[in-house]
Amino acid sequence: VDAGVDEGHDVSDRFDPMLAKIVAHGEDRADALERLTRALDATVVLGLTTNLRFLRWLVREPAVRDGQVRTDTLERIWPPDHWAAWTAIPEVAWSVAAGMLARDSGPWSGGWRLNSTPTIRLEAAGEVHSVQMQLPAVDGAAPASNSTTGPAIRFDAVRVGDTVHLDLAGRSVAFSLAAPPDVDRAARSAARIHGTGPVEIVAPMPGRVIAVYAAVGDTVQAGDPVLTLEAMKMEHVVASPIDGRLAELSVSTADQVVRGQTLAVVEA
């Protein structure tokens, strides 16, 4: 492991893309790739967004295994069909984070509700999720089902202040207590439930805006690119999630954005 950071170093959202690299060798290509695969699977990075999850997928692809990688390989195989399902935050992860955040969070910790199940609202990766505190979570472990005697699914996790970082399939995801909804947020949420309201497009990662493809007032279809972010020496297209009209555009080319920042709003 060839790393450029050490304990105590500050890594901001403007960090150099090459924080560390893993180098593997073996008696032949297959042996080296097998060692590299095991090393990637055993690596945990919490608190930073890395391409570890992507690399775990890539190193298992036949094109890589067979030495047939070309400059257009990713255009042909990325993203895989299962990527959305694989990268979705599992329900038990929300429970683990809620359990860790509920402890020592003040007199109202634990999600207490009058005549109701204790509930905590969390925010992670642009999602807001209400978690009923029925699944005991202790130091990064939670039952896999509503049964308190069932098997436990464990996550590498750490709490830093009011944020819990969980390793989910190689990606560090930050969970925090969600802010109480204001009038605008409540109205947008209600509209989304009925399929008529605006949808916010948020930054999936910190990065720099290198291209903007639409302007306020433009009509967009679901999947149409709105802008492109550059992060970790890779370009990431941010697309419209729905058909509609671009009602707001909050960034311009060359802007630096942070993960979770609102980039645009599309009205159905």
Side-chain angles (χ1 to χ4, degrees):
V1 177
D2 181 12
V5 293
D6 202 352
E7 185 175 351
H9 287 180
D10 181 41
V11 181
S12 73
D13 59 2
R14 296 176 181 269
F15 64 83
D16 185 280
M18 186 62 73
L19 285 176
K21 60 179 178 286
I22 297 174
V23 183
H25 64 88
E27 295 182 357
D28 53 28
R29 180 181 180 83
D31 184 35
L33 280 169
E34 189 58 38
R35 292 185 180 192
L36 181 58
T37 301
R38 291 200 302 269
L40 291 171
D41 288 348
T43 299
V44 176
V45 181
L46 291 173
L48 300 176
T49 300
T50 71
N51 61 352
L52 179 59
R53 183 162 62 186
F54 167 77
L55 293 176
R56 288 182 182 178
W57 165 80
L58 183 63
V59 79
R60 289 175 164 86
E61 283 299 292
V64 175
R65 290 281 176 174
D66 299 337
Q68 301 298 319
V69 175
R70 308 184 311 185
T71 56
D72 65 345
T73 295
L74 282 182
E75 295 178 9
R76 293 185 288 107
I77 66 175
W78 173 261
D81 293 338
H82 68 277
W83 191 253
W86 189 34
T87 56
I89 301 176
E91 194 72 26
V92 67
W94 292 98
S95 297
V96 170
M100 296 179 70
L101 285 169
R103 297 196 300 273
D104 305 320
S105 296
W108 304 108
S109 64
W112 181 86
R113 296 287 189 277
L114 178 64
N115 299 324
S116 182
T117 303
T119 302
I120 290 181
R121 293 177 70 252
L122 298 183
E123 185 170 4
E127 298 182 43
V128 175
H129 201 82
S130 294
V131 181
Q132 292 187 346
M133 300 302 293
Q134 295 176 322
L135 302 177
V138 181
D139 295 330
S145 67
N146 287 331
S147 170
T148 57
T149 60
I153 297 176
R154 293 189 174 273
F155 299 92
D156 287 294
V158 63
R159 175 174 172 175
V160 181
D162 294 329
T163 302
V164 167
H165 301 275
L166 288 183
D167 176 73
L168 302 179
R171 184 176 181 86
S172 180
V173 177
F175 295 78
S176 58
L177 296 176
D182 55 25
V183 174
D184 290 338
R185 288 180 179 175
R188 286 185 175 182
S189 296
R192 280 199 298 270
I193 291 174
H194 293 89
T196 60
V199 175
E200 293 183 349
I201 301 176
V202 300
M205 64 196 70
R208 185 172 64 92
V209 179
I210 62 172
V212 177
Y213 307 111
V216 172
D218 286 356
T219 298
V220 293
Q221 304 295 319
D224 284 353
V226 175
L227 56 88
T228 294
L229 293 178
E230 182 182 51
M232 295 182 289
K233 295 183 180 179
M234 297 178 62
E235 295 183 2
H236 305 267
V237 175
V238 180
S240 174
I242 63 170
D243 297 345
R245 183 184 68 88
L246 193 64
E248 298 178 24
L249 183 63
S250 306
V251 295
S252 303
T253 302
D255 284 354
Q256 190 77 22
V257 301
V258 298
R259 181 174 58 187
Q261 178 179 334
T262 298
L263 305 176
V265 175
V266 179
E267 291 182 342

